[in-house]
Amino acid sequence: MKNINKTIRKAVTICLAGSFFLISIDSIAQRRGGSGGGVHRAGGAAQARPAHQSRPANQSRPAVTKPSTNKPAVTRPGSNGSGTKVTRPSNGSNTKISNRTNNSNRNSNNNIRNSGNRNTNISGNTRNVDRSRDITINNNRNTVVRRNTVVYARPPYVYGGYRYHAYNPYYFHPYRPFYYGPVWHPWGFFVATLAVTAIVVSVESTQYHYDQGVWYAPSNGGYTAVPAPVGGTVNNIPSGAQTVNTGTVNNYYYGGTYYEKDGSTYKVVPPTAGTIVDNLPEGGKEVTIGDVKYVKFGETYYQPVKVDGKDKYEVVLVEEDK
Protein backbone atom coordinates (compact mmCIF):
# COMPACT_ATOMS: atom_id res chain seq x y z
CA MET A 1 0.00 0.00 0.00
CA LYS A 2 2.79 2.27 0.84
CA ASN A 3 4.41 1.42 -2.44
CA ILE A 4 1.26 2.45 -4.35
CA ASN A 5 1.12 5.79 -2.58
CA LYS A 6 4.73 6.43 -3.37
CA THR A 7 4.09 5.57 -6.95
CA ILE A 8 1.13 7.94 -7.14
CA ARG A 9 3.07 10.77 -5.50
CA LYS A 10 5.90 10.27 -7.98
CA ALA A 11 3.49 10.36 -10.84
CA VAL A 12 1.86 13.54 -9.55
CA THR A 13 5.26 15.12 -9.07
CA ILE A 14 6.27 14.20 -12.57
CA CYS A 15 3.00 15.61 -13.95
CA LEU A 16 3.41 18.87 -12.04
CA ALA A 17 7.00 19.15 -13.17
CA GLY A 18 5.93 18.50 -16.80
CA SER A 19 3.18 21.10 -16.60
CA PHE A 20 5.57 23.66 -15.19
CA PHE A 21 8.01 22.82 -17.96
CA LEU A 22 5.31 23.24 -20.62
CA ILE A 23 4.15 26.54 -19.11
CA SER A 24 7.70 27.83 -19.18
CA ILE A 25 8.16 26.88 -22.80
CA ASP A 26 4.88 28.54 -23.74
CA SER A 27 5.90 31.74 -21.97
CA ILE A 28 9.17 31.79 -23.83
CA ALA A 29 7.35 31.17 -27.12
CA GLN A 30 4.98 34.03 -26.43
CA ARG A 31 7.84 36.38 -25.67
CA ARG A 32 9.56 35.36 -28.92
CA GLY A 33 6.29 35.79 -30.83
CA GLY A 34 6.07 39.35 -29.62
CA SER A 35 9.49 40.00 -31.15
CA GLY A 36 8.56 38.52 -34.56
CA GLY A 37 8.55 34.82 -33.75
CA GLY A 38 5.76 32.30 -34.14
CA VAL A 39 2.67 32.43 -31.83
CA HIS A 40 1.16 29.21 -30.40
CA ARG A 41 -2.57 29.13 -30.57
CA ALA A 42 -5.05 26.55 -29.46
CA GLY A 43 -4.69 23.27 -31.16
CA GLY A 44 -0.90 23.49 -31.12
CA ALA A 45 -0.74 24.93 -34.71
CA ALA A 46 1.85 27.65 -35.17
CA GLN A 47 0.90 30.57 -37.52
CA ALA A 48 3.65 32.92 -38.69
CA ARG A 49 2.77 36.62 -38.86
CA PRO A 50 4.77 38.62 -41.40
CA ALA A 51 7.05 41.24 -39.98
CA HIS A 52 5.71 43.86 -42.52
CA GLN A 53 3.21 43.91 -45.32
CA SER A 54 4.84 43.54 -48.73
CA ARG A 55 3.36 44.18 -52.20
CA PRO A 56 2.58 41.02 -54.10
CA ALA A 57 5.29 40.23 -56.62
CA ASN A 58 2.86 40.02 -59.56
CA GLN A 59 1.17 43.33 -58.84
CA SER A 60 2.67 46.16 -60.94
CA ARG A 61 2.40 49.83 -60.37
CA PRO A 62 -0.43 51.60 -62.13
CA ALA A 63 0.52 53.02 -65.52
CA VAL A 64 1.15 56.73 -65.55
CA THR A 65 -0.13 58.49 -68.66
CA LYS A 66 2.21 61.23 -69.82
CA PRO A 67 0.81 64.24 -71.65
CA SER A 68 1.05 64.12 -75.45
CA THR A 69 4.07 65.80 -76.98
CA ASN A 70 1.80 67.27 -79.62
CA LYS A 71 0.71 70.71 -78.66
CA PRO A 72 -3.01 71.20 -78.36
CA ALA A 73 -4.82 73.38 -80.77
CA VAL A 74 -4.61 77.01 -79.79
CA THR A 75 -6.77 79.74 -81.19
CA ARG A 76 -5.50 83.26 -81.48
CA PRO A 77 -7.11 86.41 -82.81
CA GLY A 78 -6.33 87.30 -86.40
CA SER A 79 -3.41 89.58 -87.14
CA ASN A 80 -5.73 92.15 -88.68
CA GLY A 81 -7.37 92.85 -85.33
CA SER A 82 -10.69 91.39 -86.40
CA GLY A 83 -12.68 88.86 -84.49
CA THR A 84 -11.61 86.15 -86.89
CA LYS A 85 -9.59 83.47 -85.11
CA VAL A 86 -6.91 81.36 -86.68
CA THR A 87 -6.45 77.82 -85.41
CA ARG A 88 -2.92 76.55 -85.09
CA PRO A 89 -2.62 72.91 -86.19
CA SER A 90 -2.01 70.45 -83.33
CA ASN A 91 0.46 68.26 -85.18
CA GLY A 92 3.46 70.14 -83.86
CA SER A 93 4.19 71.71 -87.24
CA ASN A 94 6.18 74.91 -87.21
CA THR A 95 4.28 76.32 -90.19
CA LYS A 96 2.53 79.50 -89.19
CA ILE A 97 -0.88 80.34 -90.55
CA SER A 98 -0.10 84.03 -90.32
CA ASN A 99 2.95 83.61 -92.55
CA ARG A 100 0.96 81.74 -95.13
CA THR A 101 -1.71 84.40 -95.03
CA ASN A 102 0.82 87.18 -95.39
CA ASN A 103 2.54 85.39 -98.26
CA SER A 104 -0.80 84.86 -99.93
CA ASN A 105 -1.63 88.52 -99.53
CA ARG A 106 1.75 89.54 -100.89
CA ASN A 107 1.34 87.24 -103.89
CA SER A 108 -2.16 88.58 -104.45
CA ASN A 109 -0.89 92.14 -104.31
CA ASN A 110 1.90 91.29 -106.73
CA ASN A 111 -0.60 89.74 -109.11
CA ILE A 112 -2.73 92.85 -108.92
CA ARG A 113 0.25 95.11 -109.56
CA ASN A 114 1.45 92.92 -112.44
CA SER A 115 -1.94 92.32 -114.00
CA GLY A 116 -1.51 95.34 -116.27
CA ASN A 117 1.86 94.06 -117.46
CA ARG A 118 1.09 90.38 -117.59
CA ASN A 119 2.06 90.11 -121.25
CA THR A 120 5.17 92.26 -121.16
CA ASN A 121 7.48 89.26 -120.90
CA ILE A 122 6.90 85.93 -122.58
CA SER A 123 9.61 83.28 -122.21
CA GLY A 124 12.03 86.02 -121.18
CA ASN A 125 11.79 87.67 -124.60
CA THR A 126 9.94 90.96 -124.53
CA ARG A 127 10.05 91.22 -128.31
CA ASN A 128 7.45 88.47 -128.59
CA VAL A 129 4.87 90.33 -126.54
CA ASP A 130 1.32 90.22 -127.86
CA ARG A 131 -1.12 92.54 -126.19
CA SER A 132 -3.05 93.54 -129.30
CA ARG A 133 -6.16 91.84 -127.92
CA ASP A 134 -6.05 94.20 -124.95
CA ILE A 135 -6.35 97.20 -127.25
CA THR A 136 -9.94 98.21 -127.98
CA ILE A 137 -9.08 100.61 -130.81
CA ASN A 138 -10.47 99.96 -134.27
CA ASN A 139 -7.23 99.87 -136.21
CA ASN A 140 -7.53 96.75 -138.33
CA ARG A 141 -8.53 98.42 -141.58
CA ASN A 142 -4.93 98.51 -142.74
CA THR A 143 -4.85 94.72 -142.59
CA VAL A 144 -7.65 94.53 -145.18
CA VAL A 145 -6.17 94.21 -148.66
CA ARG A 146 -7.11 96.61 -151.45
CA ARG A 147 -7.94 95.00 -154.79
CA ASN A 148 -5.44 95.58 -157.57
CA THR A 149 -6.59 96.85 -160.97
CA VAL A 150 -4.31 94.39 -162.78
CA VAL A 151 -6.13 91.23 -163.82
CA TYR A 152 -4.74 87.99 -162.43
CA ALA A 153 -3.32 85.74 -165.14
CA ARG A 154 -2.91 82.81 -162.78
CA PRO A 155 -5.78 80.79 -161.34
CA PRO A 156 -6.25 81.20 -157.59
CA TYR A 157 -5.45 78.56 -155.04
CA VAL A 158 -8.81 77.28 -153.77
CA TYR A 159 -9.18 75.71 -150.36
CA GLY A 160 -11.76 75.66 -147.57
CA GLY A 161 -14.27 77.81 -149.43
CA TYR A 162 -11.80 80.62 -150.25
CA ARG A 163 -9.73 81.65 -153.26
CA TYR A 164 -6.18 82.94 -152.77
CA HIS A 165 -4.99 85.13 -155.66
CA ALA A 166 -1.33 85.81 -156.43
CA TYR A 167 0.53 87.04 -159.51
CA ASN A 168 3.61 84.95 -158.82
CA PRO A 169 3.79 81.17 -158.28
CA TYR A 170 4.03 79.85 -154.77
CA TYR A 171 7.63 79.22 -153.75
CA PHE A 172 8.08 78.12 -150.15
CA HIS A 173 10.84 79.53 -147.97
CA PRO A 174 10.78 79.73 -144.18
CA TYR A 175 9.49 82.87 -142.50
CA ARG A 176 12.48 84.72 -141.05
CA PRO A 177 11.46 88.03 -139.44
CA PHE A 178 13.55 90.99 -140.52
CA TYR A 179 15.23 93.04 -137.79
CA TYR A 180 14.48 96.76 -138.25
CA GLY A 181 16.67 97.93 -135.38
CA PRO A 182 16.35 98.49 -131.64
CA VAL A 183 13.78 101.30 -131.85
CA TRP A 184 11.29 99.29 -133.89
CA HIS A 185 8.76 97.09 -132.04
CA PRO A 186 6.16 94.55 -133.24
CA TRP A 187 2.45 94.83 -132.56
CA GLY A 188 1.67 94.24 -128.91
CA PHE A 189 5.03 95.42 -127.57
CA PHE A 190 4.57 97.43 -124.35
CA VAL A 191 6.71 100.36 -123.22
CA ALA A 192 6.32 102.39 -120.05
CA THR A 193 7.48 105.64 -121.63
CA LEU A 194 8.08 107.02 -125.10
CA ALA A 195 11.10 108.80 -126.51
CA VAL A 196 11.07 112.57 -126.78
CA THR A 197 10.93 112.18 -130.57
CA ALA A 198 7.41 110.68 -130.40
CA ILE A 199 4.59 112.82 -131.80
CA VAL A 200 0.84 112.74 -131.23
CA VAL A 201 -1.38 111.86 -134.22
CA SER A 202 -5.18 111.99 -134.05
CA VAL A 203 -7.15 109.68 -136.36
CA GLU A 204 -10.97 109.79 -136.23
CA SER A 205 -10.96 111.26 -132.72
CA THR A 206 -8.55 108.60 -131.49
CA GLN A 207 -5.13 109.63 -130.24
CA TYR A 208 -2.02 107.72 -131.28
CA HIS A 209 1.70 108.26 -130.79
CA TYR A 210 4.18 107.80 -133.62
CA ASP A 211 7.91 107.36 -133.27
CA GLN A 212 10.39 106.24 -135.94
CA GLY A 213 8.03 104.00 -137.89
CA VAL A 214 6.15 102.54 -134.90
CA TRP A 215 2.60 103.47 -133.86
CA TYR A 216 1.51 103.31 -130.23
CA ALA A 217 -1.76 103.56 -128.34
CA PRO A 218 -2.06 104.40 -124.61
CA SER A 219 -2.76 101.35 -122.45
CA ASN A 220 -2.41 100.35 -118.78
CA GLY A 221 -0.11 103.13 -117.65
CA GLY A 222 2.10 102.92 -120.73
CA TYR A 223 1.96 102.48 -124.48
CA THR A 224 1.45 99.44 -126.71
CA ALA A 225 2.58 99.11 -130.32
CA VAL A 226 -0.44 98.72 -132.61
CA PRO A 227 -1.09 98.40 -136.35
CA ALA A 228 -0.74 101.77 -138.00
CA PRO A 229 -4.20 103.38 -138.33
CA VAL A 230 -5.29 103.94 -141.91
CA GLY A 231 -5.45 107.68 -142.54
CA GLY A 232 -2.75 108.57 -140.03
CA THR A 233 -0.50 111.24 -141.48
CA VAL A 234 3.12 112.03 -140.56
CA ASN A 235 5.72 114.38 -141.96
CA ASN A 236 8.54 111.84 -142.09
CA ILE A 237 9.01 108.11 -142.40
CA PRO A 238 12.20 106.12 -141.65
CA SER A 239 14.92 106.41 -144.26
CA GLY A 240 15.04 102.62 -144.58
CA ALA A 241 11.52 102.45 -146.08
CA GLN A 242 11.25 100.32 -149.22
CA THR A 243 9.62 101.76 -152.33
CA VAL A 244 7.08 99.27 -153.70
CA ASN A 245 4.89 99.41 -156.81
CA THR A 246 1.24 98.63 -156.35
CA GLY A 247 0.52 98.66 -160.10
CA THR A 248 -0.88 102.17 -160.09
CA VAL A 249 1.19 104.18 -157.60
CA ASN A 250 4.29 103.82 -155.54
CA ASN A 251 3.94 103.04 -151.85
CA TYR A 252 6.54 103.17 -149.12
CA TYR A 253 6.81 100.11 -146.97
CA TYR A 254 8.40 99.94 -143.55
CA GLY A 255 7.92 97.41 -140.73
CA GLY A 256 4.64 96.07 -142.13
CA THR A 257 3.11 99.51 -142.73
CA TYR A 258 2.35 101.07 -146.13
CA TYR A 259 2.48 104.82 -146.79
CA GLU A 260 1.52 106.96 -149.79
CA LYS A 261 3.00 110.35 -150.51
CA ASP A 262 0.36 113.03 -149.94
CA GLY A 263 1.87 116.40 -150.78
CA SER A 264 4.59 116.95 -148.22
CA THR A 265 3.30 114.28 -145.84
CA TYR A 266 2.92 110.49 -145.78
CA LYS A 267 -0.44 108.86 -145.21
CA VAL A 268 -0.99 105.32 -143.92
CA VAL A 269 -2.85 103.14 -146.47
CA PRO A 270 -3.94 99.48 -146.55
CA PRO A 271 -1.71 96.99 -148.40
CA THR A 272 -2.54 96.48 -152.07
CA ALA A 273 -2.95 92.97 -153.47
CA GLY A 274 0.02 91.87 -155.55
CA THR A 275 2.52 94.17 -153.81
CA ILE A 276 5.94 92.54 -153.47
CA VAL A 277 8.01 93.22 -150.34
CA ASP A 278 11.52 92.07 -149.56
CA ASN A 279 11.03 91.33 -145.88
CA LEU A 280 8.41 90.83 -143.19
CA PRO A 281 8.80 92.05 -139.61
CA GLU A 282 8.26 90.29 -136.33
CA GLY A 283 4.74 89.49 -135.27
CA GLY A 284 3.60 87.42 -138.23
CA LYS A 285 2.13 83.94 -137.95
CA GLU A 286 3.03 81.17 -140.36
CA VAL A 287 -0.25 79.39 -141.18
CA THR A 288 -0.84 76.29 -143.29
CA ILE A 289 -3.81 76.31 -145.64
CA GLY A 290 -4.08 73.06 -147.53
CA ASP A 291 -0.71 72.53 -149.17
CA VAL A 292 0.38 76.17 -148.92
CA LYS A 293 2.02 78.06 -146.08
CA TYR A 294 1.29 81.76 -145.74
CA VAL A 295 2.50 84.39 -143.31
CA LYS A 296 -0.41 86.25 -141.76
CA PHE A 297 -0.48 89.74 -140.23
CA GLY A 298 -3.91 90.58 -138.88
CA GLU A 299 -6.13 89.73 -141.86
CA THR A 300 -3.42 90.16 -144.47
CA TYR A 301 -1.89 87.05 -146.05
CA TYR A 302 1.59 87.04 -147.59
CA GLN A 303 2.61 84.29 -150.02
CA PRO A 304 6.29 83.30 -150.20
CA VAL A 305 7.56 83.79 -153.74
CA LYS A 306 10.86 84.02 -155.59
CA VAL A 307 11.45 87.07 -157.78
CA ASP A 308 14.67 87.56 -159.73
CA GLY A 309 16.20 84.69 -157.78
CA LYS A 310 15.44 86.30 -154.38
CA ASP A 311 13.06 85.18 -151.65
CA LYS A 312 10.25 87.70 -151.26
CA TYR A 313 6.59 87.95 -150.24
CA GLU A 314 3.48 88.90 -152.18
CA VAL A 315 0.30 90.36 -150.72
CA VAL A 316 -2.49 87.85 -151.42
CA LEU A 317 -6.07 88.74 -152.35
CA VAL A 318 -8.43 86.43 -150.44
CA GLU A 319 -12.06 86.03 -151.60
CA GLU A 320 -14.87 83.69 -150.74
CA ASP A 321 -15.36 80.95 -153.32
CA LYS A 322 -18.94 81.60 -154.36
Side-chain angles (χ1 to χ4, degrees), residues 7-25:
T7 302
I8 292 173
R9 281 196 299 269
K10 288 182 181 180
V12 171
T13 301
I14 292 172
C15 289
L16 292 174
S19 297
F20 178 79
F21 178 76
L22 292 175
I23 290 171
S24 300
I25 292 177

Side-chain angles (χ1 to χ4, degrees), residues 127 178 180-187 212-214 216 254-256 281-283:
R127 298 190 62 80
F178 181 77
Y180 282 89
V183 298
W184 187 89
H185 303 301
W187 297 351
Q212 302 182 68
V214 184
Y216 300 91
Y254 184 84
E282 281 186 72

Side-chain angles (χ1 to χ4, degrees), residues 149-172:
T149 57
V150 180
V151 178
Y152 284 97
R154 300 176 55 81
Y157 178 71
V158 180
Y159 186 85
Y162 289 90
R163 291 177 291 171
Y164 299 83
H165 297 271
Y167 291 106
N168 294 277
Y170 171 73
Y171 184 88
F172 173 75

Side-chain angles (χ1 to χ4, degrees), residues 54-62:
S54 61
R55 184 182 291 112
N58 59 352
Q59 182 177 353
S60 61
R61 294 184 179 180

